[in-house]
PDB file of all heavy atoms in Angstrom:
ATOM      1  N   ALA A  10      -4.974 -19.621  -9.142  1.00 87.00           N
ATOM      2  CA  ALA A  10      -5.746 -20.564  -8.336  1.00 87.00           C
ATOM      3  C   ALA A  10      -6.725 -19.865  -7.399  1.00 87.00           C
ATOM      4  O   ALA A  10      -7.388 -20.524  -6.612  1.00 87.00           O
ATOM      5  CB  ALA A  10      -4.800 -21.444  -7.523  1.00 87.00           C
ATOM      6  N   GLY A  11      -6.802 -18.540  -7.444  1.00 90.00           N
ATOM      7  CA  GLY A  11      -7.728 -17.815  -6.579  1.00 90.00           C
ATOM      8  C   GLY A  11      -7.013 -16.857  -5.654  1.00 90.00           C
ATOM      9  O   GLY A  11      -5.863 -16.481  -5.895  1.00 90.00           O
ATOM     10  N   PRO A  12      -7.679 -16.454  -4.556  1.00 90.00           N
ATOM     11  CA  PRO A  12      -7.085 -15.478  -3.630  1.00 90.00           C
ATOM     12  C   PRO A  12      -5.782 -16.000  -3.017  1.00 90.00           C
ATOM     13  O   PRO A  12      -5.636 -17.188  -2.763  1.00 90.00           O
ATOM     14  CB  PRO A  12      -8.157 -15.306  -2.552  1.00 90.00           C
ATOM     15  CG  PRO A  12      -9.422 -15.774  -3.172  1.00 90.00           C
ATOM     16  CD  PRO A  12      -9.037 -16.821  -4.169  1.00 90.00           C
ATOM     17  N   ILE A  13      -4.862 -15.085  -2.773  1.00 89.00           N
ATOM     18  CA  ILE A  13      -3.568 -15.434  -2.177  1.00 89.00           C
ATOM     19  C   ILE A  13      -3.552 -14.909  -0.751  1.00 89.00           C
ATOM     20  O   ILE A  13      -3.594 -13.697  -0.522  1.00 89.00           O
ATOM     21  CB  ILE A  13      -2.409 -14.827  -2.992  1.00 89.00           C
ATOM     22  CG1 ILE A  13      -2.420 -15.376  -4.412  1.00 89.00           C
ATOM     23  CG2 ILE A  13      -1.077 -15.083  -2.302  1.00 89.00           C
ATOM     24  CD1 ILE A  13      -1.454 -14.688  -5.342  1.00 89.00           C
ATOM     25  N   ASP A  14      -3.497 -15.830   0.213  1.00 90.00           N
ATOM     26  CA  ASP A  14      -3.425 -15.463   1.626  1.00 90.00           C
ATOM     27  C   ASP A  14      -2.013 -15.704   2.144  1.00 90.00           C
ATOM     28  O   ASP A  14      -1.246 -16.486   1.581  1.00 90.00           O
ATOM     29  CB  ASP A  14      -4.419 -16.294   2.455  1.00 90.00           C
ATOM     30  CG  ASP A  14      -5.849 -15.838   2.252  1.00 90.00           C
ATOM     31  OD1 ASP A  14      -6.067 -14.616   2.175  1.00 90.00           O
ATOM     32  OD2 ASP A  14      -6.738 -16.708   2.180  1.00 90.00           O
ATOM     33  N   GLY A  15      -1.671 -15.033   3.252  1.00 89.00           N
ATOM     34  CA  GLY A  15      -0.387 -15.245   3.901  1.00 89.00           C
ATOM     35  C   GLY A  15       0.783 -14.536   3.245  1.00 89.00           C
ATOM     36  O   GLY A  15       1.934 -14.849   3.532  1.00 89.00           O
ATOM     37  N   ALA A  16       0.518 -13.598   2.383  1.00 90.00           N
ATOM     38  CA  ALA A  16       1.594 -12.861   1.715  1.00 90.00           C
ATOM     39  C   ALA A  16       1.970 -11.640   2.544  1.00 90.00           C
ATOM     40  O   ALA A  16       1.189 -11.166   3.371  1.00 90.00           O
ATOM     41  CB  ALA A  16       1.163 -12.435   0.313  1.00 90.00           C
ATOM     42  N   LEU A  17       3.158 -11.146   2.323  1.00 92.00           N
ATOM     43  CA  LEU A  17       3.585  -9.876   2.901  1.00 92.00           C
ATOM     44  C   LEU A  17       3.334  -8.815   1.832  1.00 92.00           C
ATOM     45  O   LEU A  17       3.894  -8.887   0.736  1.00 92.00           O
ATOM     46  CB  LEU A  17       5.066  -9.929   3.275  1.00 92.00           C
ATOM     47  CG  LEU A  17       5.670  -8.626   3.780  1.00 92.00           C
ATOM     48  CD1 LEU A  17       5.013  -8.201   5.081  1.00 92.00           C
ATOM     49  CD2 LEU A  17       7.155  -8.772   3.960  1.00 92.00           C
ATOM     50  N   VAL A  18       2.474  -7.853   2.130  1.00 92.00           N
ATOM     51  CA  VAL A  18       2.106  -6.828   1.159  1.00 92.00           C
ATOM     52  C   VAL A  18       2.535  -5.464   1.698  1.00 92.00           C
ATOM     53  O   VAL A  18       2.078  -5.041   2.755  1.00 92.00           O
ATOM     54  CB  VAL A  18       0.588  -6.838   0.859  1.00 92.00           C
ATOM     55  CG1 VAL A  18       0.229  -5.749  -0.125  1.00 92.00           C
ATOM     56  CG2 VAL A  18       0.164  -8.199   0.333  1.00 92.00           C
ATOM     57  N   ALA A  19       3.435  -4.817   0.978  1.00 92.00           N
ATOM     58  CA  ALA A  19       3.926  -3.492   1.360  1.00 92.00           C
ATOM     59  C   ALA A  19       3.540  -2.501   0.274  1.00 92.00           C
ATOM     60  O   ALA A  19       3.514  -2.836  -0.914  1.00 92.00           O
ATOM     61  CB  ALA A  19       5.433  -3.511   1.539  1.00 92.00           C
ATOM     62  N   VAL A  20       3.250  -1.269   0.694  1.00 92.00           N
ATOM     63  CA  VAL A  20       2.810  -0.231  -0.238  1.00 92.00           C
ATOM     64  C   VAL A  20       3.654   1.015  -0.037  1.00 92.00           C
ATOM     65  O   VAL A  20       3.908   1.424   1.095  1.00 92.00           O
ATOM     66  CB  VAL A  20       1.312   0.107  -0.019  1.00 92.00           C
ATOM     67  CG1 VAL A  20       0.889   1.307  -0.844  1.00 92.00           C
ATOM     68  CG2 VAL A  20       0.445  -1.086  -0.342  1.00 92.00           C
ATOM     69  N   GLU A  21       4.084   1.588  -1.145  1.00 91.00           N
ATOM     70  CA  GLU A  21       4.670   2.928  -1.145  1.00 91.00           C
ATOM     71  C   GLU A  21       3.696   3.805  -1.907  1.00 91.00           C
ATOM     72  O   GLU A  21       3.387   3.533  -3.061  1.00 91.00           O
ATOM     73  CB  GLU A  21       6.025   2.948  -1.851  1.00 91.00           C
ATOM     74  CG  GLU A  21       7.137   2.298  -1.081  1.00 91.00           C
ATOM     75  CD  GLU A  21       8.457   2.385  -1.815  1.00 91.00           C
ATOM     76  OE1 GLU A  21       8.621   3.282  -2.685  1.00 91.00           O
ATOM     77  OE2 GLU A  21       9.318   1.547  -1.532  1.00 91.00           O
ATOM     78  N   ALA A  22       3.200   4.838  -1.255  1.00 89.00           N
ATOM     79  CA  ALA A  22       2.217   5.729  -1.875  1.00 89.00           C
ATOM     80  C   ALA A  22       2.838   7.098  -2.080  1.00 89.00           C
ATOM     81  O   ALA A  22       3.515   7.622  -1.201  1.00 89.00           O
ATOM     82  CB  ALA A  22       0.981   5.849  -0.985  1.00 89.00           C
ATOM     83  N   GLU A  23       2.620   7.638  -3.261  1.00 88.00           N
ATOM     84  CA  GLU A  23       3.092   8.995  -3.526  1.00 88.00           C
ATOM     85  C   GLU A  23       2.001   9.769  -4.231  1.00 88.00           C
ATOM     86  O   GLU A  23       1.220   9.210  -5.004  1.00 88.00           O
ATOM     87  CB  GLU A  23       4.379   8.997  -4.341  1.00 88.00           C
ATOM     88  CG  GLU A  23       4.254   8.456  -5.731  1.00 88.00           C
ATOM     89  CD  GLU A  23       5.571   8.463  -6.490  1.00 88.00           C
ATOM     90  OE1 GLU A  23       6.633   8.441  -5.858  1.00 88.00           O
ATOM     91  OE2 GLU A  23       5.511   8.488  -7.726  1.00 88.00           O
ATOM     92  N   HIS A  24       1.949  11.030  -3.915  1.00 83.00           N
ATOM     93  CA  HIS A  24       0.996  11.913  -4.558  1.00 83.00           C
ATOM     94  C   HIS A  24       1.539  12.196  -5.955  1.00 83.00           C
ATOM     95  O   HIS A  24       2.692  12.591  -6.098  1.00 83.00           O
ATOM     96  CB  HIS A  24       0.861  13.205  -3.736  1.00 83.00           C
ATOM     97  CG  HIS A  24      -0.383  13.948  -4.026  1.00 83.00           C
ATOM     98  ND1 HIS A  24      -0.405  15.027  -4.855  1.00 83.00           N
ATOM     99  CD2 HIS A  24      -1.660  13.757  -3.609  1.00 83.00           C
ATOM    100  CE1 HIS A  24      -1.642  15.482  -4.923  1.00 83.00           C
ATOM    101  NE2 HIS A  24      -2.413  14.737  -4.191  1.00 83.00           N
ATOM    102  N   PRO A  25       0.749  11.976  -7.030  1.00 75.00           N
ATOM    103  CA  PRO A  25       1.296  12.102  -8.379  1.00 75.00           C
ATOM    104  C   PRO A  25       1.828  13.484  -8.721  1.00 75.00           C
ATOM    105  O   PRO A  25       2.692  13.616  -9.565  1.00 75.00           O
ATOM    106  CB  PRO A  25       0.142  11.718  -9.296  1.00 75.00           C
ATOM    107  CG  PRO A  25      -1.055  11.607  -8.451  1.00 75.00           C
ATOM    108  CD  PRO A  25      -0.638  11.575  -7.031  1.00 75.00           C
ATOM    109  N   LEU A  26       1.355  14.509  -8.058  1.00 71.00           N
ATOM    110  CA  LEU A  26       1.862  15.850  -8.346  1.00 71.00           C
ATOM    111  C   LEU A  26       2.837  16.331  -7.283  1.00 71.00           C
ATOM    112  O   LEU A  26       3.270  17.475  -7.308  1.00 71.00           O
ATOM    113  CB  LEU A  26       0.694  16.838  -8.469  1.00 71.00           C
ATOM    114  CG  LEU A  26      -0.282  16.520  -9.586  1.00 71.00           C
ATOM    115  CD1 LEU A  26      -1.420  17.519  -9.605  1.00 71.00           C
ATOM    116  CD2 LEU A  26       0.417  16.506 -10.924  1.00 71.00           C
ATOM    117  N   GLY A  27       3.188  15.465  -6.343  1.00 67.00           N
ATOM    118  CA  GLY A  27       4.176  15.810  -5.344  1.00 67.00           C
ATOM    119  C   GLY A  27       3.730  16.827  -4.319  1.00 67.00           C
ATOM    120  O   GLY A  27       4.548  17.400  -3.619  1.00 67.00           O
ATOM    121  N   ARG A  28       2.441  17.045  -4.208  1.00 74.00           N
ATOM    122  CA  ARG A  28       1.952  18.073  -3.274  1.00 74.00           C
ATOM    123  C   ARG A  28       1.923  17.584  -1.828  1.00 74.00           C
ATOM    124  O   ARG A  28       2.012  18.372  -0.912  1.00 74.00           O
ATOM    125  CB  ARG A  28       0.568  18.542  -3.694  1.00 74.00           C
ATOM    126  CG  ARG A  28       0.633  19.291  -4.998  1.00 74.00           C
ATOM    127  CD  ARG A  28      -0.657  19.967  -5.340  1.00 74.00           C
ATOM    128  NE  ARG A  28      -0.482  20.706  -6.580  1.00 74.00           N
ATOM    129  CZ  ARG A  28      -1.413  20.858  -7.474  1.00 74.00           C
ATOM    130  NH1 ARG A  28      -2.608  20.361  -7.269  1.00 74.00           N
ATOM    131  NH2 ARG A  28      -1.177  21.538  -8.580  1.00 74.00           N
ATOM    132  N   LEU A  29       1.766  16.275  -1.642  1.00 79.00           N
ATOM    133  CA  LEU A  29       1.772  15.697  -0.301  1.00 79.00           C
ATOM    134  C   LEU A  29       2.958  14.742  -0.189  1.00 79.00           C
ATOM    135  O   LEU A  29       3.357  14.125  -1.177  1.00 79.00           O
ATOM    136  CB  LEU A  29       0.461  14.943  -0.034  1.00 79.00           C
ATOM    137  CG  LEU A  29      -0.807  15.782  -0.042  1.00 79.00           C
ATOM    138  CD1 LEU A  29      -2.034  14.894   0.075  1.00 79.00           C
ATOM    139  CD2 LEU A  29      -0.789  16.788   1.090  1.00 79.00           C
ATOM    140  N   PRO A  30       3.515  14.593   1.008  1.00 84.00           N
ATOM    141  CA  PRO A  30       4.663  13.691   1.148  1.00 84.00           C
ATOM    142  C   PRO A  30       4.255  12.236   0.929  1.00 84.00           C
ATOM    143  O   PRO A  30       3.125  11.834   1.238  1.00 84.00           O
ATOM    144  CB  PRO A  30       5.128  13.931   2.586  1.00 84.00           C
ATOM    145  CG  PRO A  30       3.962  14.528   3.290  1.00 84.00           C
ATOM    146  CD  PRO A  30       3.165  15.257   2.259  1.00 84.00           C
ATOM    147  N   GLY A  31       5.184  11.448   0.407  1.00 84.00           N
ATOM    148  CA  GLY A  31       4.939  10.029   0.191  1.00 84.00           C
ATOM    149  C   GLY A  31       4.896   9.276   1.510  1.00 84.00           C
ATOM    150  O   GLY A  31       5.377   9.755   2.538  1.00 84.00           O
ATOM    151  N   ARG A  32       4.323   8.093   1.468  1.00 86.00           N
ATOM    152  CA  ARG A  32       4.203   7.255   2.667  1.00 86.00           C
ATOM    153  C   ARG A  32       4.466   5.808   2.301  1.00 86.00           C
ATOM    154  O   ARG A  32       4.178   5.386   1.190  1.00 86.00           O
ATOM    155  CB  ARG A  32       2.803   7.373   3.253  1.00 86.00           C
ATOM    156  CG  ARG A  32       2.497   8.793   3.677  1.00 86.00           C
ATOM    157  CD  ARG A  32       1.116   8.931   4.168  1.00 86.00           C
ATOM    158  NE  ARG A  32       0.915  10.354   4.463  1.00 86.00           N
ATOM    159  CZ  ARG A  32      -0.112  10.819   5.090  1.00 86.00           C
ATOM    160  NH1 ARG A  32      -1.045  10.015   5.492  1.00 86.00           N
ATOM    161  NH2 ARG A  32      -0.225  12.103   5.319  1.00 86.00           N
ATOM    162  N   ALA A  33       4.994   5.067   3.238  1.00 89.00           N
ATOM    163  CA  ALA A  33       5.229   3.632   3.054  1.00 89.00           C
ATOM    164  C   ALA A  33       4.650   2.907   4.262  1.00 89.00           C
ATOM    165  O   ALA A  33       4.799   3.361   5.394  1.00 89.00           O
ATOM    166  CB  ALA A  33       6.713   3.355   2.920  1.00 89.00           C
ATOM    167  N   PHE A  34       3.977   1.784   4.007  1.00 88.00           N
ATOM    168  CA  PHE A  34       3.380   1.024   5.098  1.00 88.00           C
ATOM    169  C   PHE A  34       3.132  -0.403   4.643  1.00 88.00           C
ATOM    170  O   PHE A  34       3.165  -0.713   3.456  1.00 88.00           O
ATOM    171  CB  PHE A  34       2.090   1.668   5.606  1.00 88.00           C
ATOM    172  CG  PHE A  34       1.151   2.103   4.517  1.00 88.00           C
ATOM    173  CD1 PHE A  34       0.195   1.246   4.021  1.00 88.00           C
ATOM    174  CD2 PHE A  34       1.240   3.376   3.985  1.00 88.00           C
ATOM    175  CE1 PHE A  34      -0.656   1.643   3.007  1.00 88.00           C
ATOM    176  CE2 PHE A  34       0.397   3.793   2.974  1.00 88.00           C
ATOM    177  CZ  PHE A  34      -0.564   2.922   2.479  1.00 88.00           C
ATOM    178  N   THR A  35       2.896  -1.270   5.623  1.00 89.00           N
ATOM    179  CA  THR A  35       2.608  -2.676   5.366  1.00 89.00           C
ATOM    180  C   THR A  35       1.125  -2.915   5.620  1.00 89.00           C
ATOM    181  O   THR A  35       0.576  -2.427   6.608  1.00 89.00           O
ATOM    182  CB  THR A  35       3.452  -3.570   6.291  1.00 89.00           C
ATOM    183  OG1 THR A  35       4.829  -3.279   6.079  1.00 89.00           O
ATOM    184  CG2 THR A  35       3.202  -5.034   6.009  1.00 89.00           C
ATOM    185  N   LEU A  36       0.504  -3.681   4.738  1.00 89.00           N
ATOM    186  CA  LEU A  36      -0.911  -3.993   4.893  1.00 89.00           C
ATOM    187  C   LEU A  36      -1.052  -5.297   5.669  1.00 89.00           C
ATOM    188  O   LEU A  36      -0.196  -6.180   5.576  1.00 89.00           O
ATOM    189  CB  LEU A  36      -1.588  -4.120   3.534  1.00 89.00           C
ATOM    190  CG  LEU A  36      -1.925  -2.797   2.839  1.00 89.00           C
ATOM    191  CD1 LEU A  36      -0.703  -2.158   2.246  1.00 89.00           C
ATOM    192  CD2 LEU A  36      -2.958  -3.011   1.778  1.00 89.00           C
ATOM    193  N   GLN A  37      -2.136  -5.402   6.420  1.00 89.00           N
ATOM    194  CA  GLN A  37      -2.409  -6.591   7.224  1.00 89.00           C
ATOM    195  C   GLN A  37      -3.411  -7.475   6.492  1.00 89.00           C
ATOM    196  O   GLN A  37      -4.415  -6.990   5.985  1.00 89.00           O
ATOM    197  CB  GLN A  37      -2.978  -6.193   8.589  1.00 89.00           C
ATOM    198  CG  GLN A  37      -2.085  -5.258   9.384  1.00 89.00           C
ATOM    199  CD  GLN A  37      -0.739  -5.880   9.688  1.00 89.00           C
ATOM    200  OE1 GLN A  37      -0.648  -7.043  10.066  1.00 89.00           O
ATOM    201  NE2 GLN A  37       0.317  -5.105   9.492  1.00 89.00           N
ATOM    202  N   GLY A  38      -3.142  -8.781   6.461  1.00 89.00           N
ATOM    203  CA  GLY A  38      -4.054  -9.729   5.831  1.00 89.00           C
ATOM    204  C   GLY A  38      -5.319  -9.896   6.649  1.00 89.00           C
ATOM    205  O   GLY A  38      -5.275 -10.011   7.872  1.00 89.00           O
ATOM    206  N   THR A  39      -6.461  -9.877   5.958  1.00 89.00           N
ATOM    207  CA  THR A  39      -7.746 -10.058   6.638  1.00 89.00           C
ATOM    208  C   THR A  39      -8.482 -11.300   6.127  1.00 89.00           C
ATOM    209  O   THR A  39      -9.615 -11.541   6.512  1.00 89.00           O
ATOM    210  CB  THR A  39      -8.645  -8.816   6.448  1.00 89.00           C
ATOM    211  OG1 THR A  39      -8.892  -8.626   5.059  1.00 89.00           O
ATOM    212  CG2 THR A  39      -7.994  -7.582   7.037  1.00 89.00           C
ATOM    213  N   GLY A  40      -7.835 -12.082   5.247  1.00 88.00           N
ATOM    214  CA  GLY A  40      -8.432 -13.310   4.733  1.00 88.00           C
ATOM    215  C   GLY A  40      -9.032 -13.119   3.353  1.00 88.00           C
ATOM    216  O   GLY A  40      -9.410 -12.019   2.965  1.00 88.00           O
ATOM    217  N   GLY A  41      -9.108 -14.195   2.627  1.00 89.00           N
ATOM    218  CA  GLY A  41      -9.702 -14.158   1.294  1.00 89.00           C
ATOM    219  C   GLY A  41      -8.905 -13.347   0.290  1.00 89.00           C
ATOM    220  O   GLY A  41      -9.460 -12.801  -0.650  1.00 89.00           O
ATOM    221  N   GLY A  42      -7.571 -13.251   0.502  1.00 90.00           N
ATOM    222  CA  GLY A  42      -6.726 -12.486  -0.417  1.00 90.00           C
ATOM    223  C   GLY A  42      -6.841 -10.988  -0.238  1.00 90.00           C
ATOM    224  O   GLY A  42      -6.381 -10.215  -1.064  1.00 90.00           O
TER     225      GLY A  42
END
């Protein structure tokens, strides 16, 4: 139906070669999905 607003979006980021430590954080909604 289009952009999804009001969701809780969390990200776990990892470096594919393991050279940098991974990080986890929550993204903030700015509107328009």
